[in-house]
Amino acid sequence: MASSSPLQSGSPAGKVNQPQSADGEHVSDTSPEKRLTAPVEPVDATPPALKKQKKKHPESSTDASSKKKQKGAAAKQVRFHIKLYSTKQPSVTSATATAKKKKVKQQPSSTGNSPAGQPNGATVEPSKRQSKKSRSKLNGSKSSVGLMGASTNGGTTTVGAATSAGFMLPPSTSFTPLKRMAIKQEPKTPQHEPTQLTGHGASEGMAVHELDSVTIGRQTFAWLVGPSTTVEEFMRTYWERKPLLLQRNDRAYYAGLLSRAMIDEMLRTNNIEYGKNIDVTSYVDGQRETHNPDGRVLPPDLWHFYGTGCSVRMLNPQTYLRSIYELNVKLQEYFHCMTGANFYLTPPGSQGFAPHYDDIEAFVLQIEGRKRWRVYAPRTPQEQLARFSSENLRQDELAAPLLDVVLEAGDLLYFPRGYIHQAATVPGAHSLHVTVSVYQRNSWVDLFEQMLPVALASAAEEEQQLREGLPLDLHRHFGIVHSDEVSTERRRLTVRIRTMFDKLFSDAAIDAAVDQLAKRFQHDALPPMIDFAEWDDTVYGAGNYDFRPDGTVRCARPIDDRSSVRLLRRNILRLVSEEEKLRIYYHTDNSREYHQYEANFLELDHETALGVELLIKMYPRYVPVSNLPVEDRLEFIRSLWEKGLIVCRRPGVSAPPPPSGEETTSS
């Protein structure tokens, strides 16, 4: 079957290369005037002007150990003008918030998949965890410097022309598939949800690169599990329920994502390290061994290990391989969680890992060769949707497999977290596959862990009943000694406790908890990938400055009230209330290496938050700068522009056509 990847000229999602429409046709743009028909009323309060934010550069490894955190100055104590949860509630102390101050913890080396692409069995050196924090405030003085704008992308955008080249270098930064395929159309979103654009219907009257990044992520996921299975069918029947096997009989379906030649080039052109990036393993007679030497991975050593029967696992290919990076960055917008990937290269007739289960939703994409997979049901109800990965398991601990199948190139295998699995090559065939992982620590229990401390603190302040003393006889009716009692007094106290427990739940506590999970995503997420069609409308584009012969540099395209702006991606930032301050956390400054830097945030005034709120709620539509409910609108836009958080277009300026003849292969 002919196939086409949605990872095409353009890139969506927290990385952004937008796919073409499902039928492969061009999609036209609309003018800013059609995107925002009603002006936005400014607020009554007069917000302060914005101050240009300062960027703190990463420190060198020599002084990283002596670095101390710098806390932002206290926010101004003024009344909220937008609905946020109370600043009286304490900030949630989560495992993620604590972990960001420490180096990445070592994961059990027995696990076959590193969770969500995080380094597994490797410890990141302290010198690698550079500080790259933005702690500036969006308030203060005005700036007289001209603001860089970007050209309007008028007309039609052509996306996804199939070529023989696998990659395109910047500015297009896109992966081009080798073949085309038809993606089943997803149903349109009801009309009462205009910003949730899905499927081909979302492209009507809108350029491809201006689709909602979640829509593009959904289209990418539709390609991943398609064409015989739709996204709706997958979510309804298989997601977190049971494995899915797709045998496509199309060896080239995933061929553009990875190859042994791409691995070789990656090793030659990057400083890949054993343990940190790559593990060399074997599994013989029920014993799994790791054979990692010290230092950099170079092709002669790696191919020698491979030739002697060892398996190769790479923990973070998205850091170095553009095709895997683009796939992950699009999917992370749809799933709104960290999306990771590992690749596994196994020589003929061998096995690299013991049977085990993981704490991730796993999608196995067979790239080359053949591999036999055996998948087993969770042994106990407690292992279903496991929160933590298992240790190595023995064969005698396993029942008969649910699936025993040989994956061919182009096939897909999905299994939920908690499902035990093992894989081995068959005689005479090697195997190369990619495992994409999502939904690690993204369950209801993770939400409640964030919510309960906030809810308890708030309820204790509001409900006098919760501050009353415990009954004198409580200890005579509860505890392990009394757990089998069925006395009237025990039942009465149980009803009373449940009644008080119900008082803990509030919308404000849920809001705070969801914001904390979204804040964690901002730290975990890959930085965005910019579509060529929006390249010059962002801070990343060329032509924003004129470099004059006299040595001066002039802003070539200033932003003014005629410009229109929107967020770069739906999930590019998160507005959070914590420590009695308003902050926006964002991931444009993140590295493609997991948690290389600490979380990035900007502090802002309460009135300024209105402008951020408007951009969030209007996405993916553009907002005229003149309609922003902020006093110093241009300085506000400058602050977001400098961090790469917005797309800005100015009426009357056309985007340049895509360059021709620049396609080349690269990793």
Side-chain angles (χ1 to χ4, degrees), residues 255-271:
L257 288 175
L258 187 63
S259 68
R260 282 167 292 163
M262 292 168 62
I263 295 172
D264 187 83
E265 182 179 357
M266 176 192 68
L267 298 178
R268 289 185 286 104
T269 57
N270 296 277
N271 186 34

Side-chain angles (χ1 to χ4, degrees), residues 372-375 401-406:
R372 178 190 179 191
W373 282 83
R374 284 172 285 178
V375 181
L402 291 177
L403 278 176
D404 189 342
V405 64
V406 174

Side-chain angles (χ1 to χ4, degrees), residues 280-483:
V280 178
T281 67
S282 63
Y283 181 73
V284 180
D285 297 331
Q287 296 295 321
R288 184 249 171 134
E289 293 187 50
T290 301
H291 307 280
N292 291 339
D294 295 328
R296 178 177 174 180
V297 185
L298 288 171
D301 286 339
L302 185 75
W303 298 125
H304 172 75
F305 279 123
Y306 176 72
T308 57
C310 292
S311 293
V312 177
R313 172 182 66 180
M314 184 164 192
L315 307 170
N316 58 332
Q318 62 273 12
T319 304
Y320 303 97
L321 297 171
R322 185 179 301 278
S323 53
I324 307 296
Y325 165 48
E326 181 173 349
L327 174 66
N328 284 8
V329 86
K330 292 179 178 181
L331 292 177
Q332 78 180 8
E333 283 288 298
Y334 176 61
F335 288 103
H336 202 175
C337 70
M338 180 170 64
T339 302
N342 302 338
F343 76 64
Y344 299 82
L345 177 62
T346 311
S350 64
Q351 179 171 338
F353 297 93
H356 64 280
Y357 61 78
D358 294 317
D359 58 348
I360 55 169
E361 301 298 298
F363 298 86
V364 177
L365 319 179
Q366 189 68 28
I367 308 295
E368 293 179 3
R370 309 170 70 218
K371 199 164 194 177
R372 178 190 179 191
W373 282 83
R374 284 172 285 178
V375 181
Y376 309 81
R379 297 170 297 177
T380 65
Q382 290 73 28
E383 290 183 356
Q384 292 180 342
L385 301 180
R387 298 193 68 208
F388 306 99
S389 298
S390 72
E391 301 293 335
N392 290 339
L393 304 176
R394 302 188 312 271
Q395 290 293 148
D396 58 14
E397 298 180 77
L398 307 179
L402 291 177
L403 278 176
D404 189 342
V405 64
V406 174
L407 291 189
E408 305 279 353
D411 293 347
L412 174 137
L413 175 63
Y414 158 79
F415 44 86
R417 53 195 187 275
Y419 273 73
I420 302 167
H421 53 278
Q422 61 178 323
T425 52
V426 297
H430 77 291
S431 171
L432 176 61
H433 79 264
V434 173
T435 297
V436 176
S437 54
V438 298
Y439 258 56
Q440 184 186 46
R441 293 187 296 113
N442 206 45
S443 64
W444 286 107
V445 66
D446 297 295
L447 176 66
F448 292 154
E449 282 183 346
Q450 300 287 340
M451 186 180 74
L452 290 178
V454 176
L456 185 61
S458 178
E461 184 175 340
E462 300 294 332
E463 299 288 342
Q464 178 180 337
Q465 184 182 11
L466 293 175
R467 302 195 300 271
E468 294 176 357
L470 295 173
L472 296 177
D473 60 347
L474 180 70
H475 303 284
R476 291 193 285 112
H477 299 287
F478 288 91
I480 190 172
V481 173
H482 308 288
S483 60

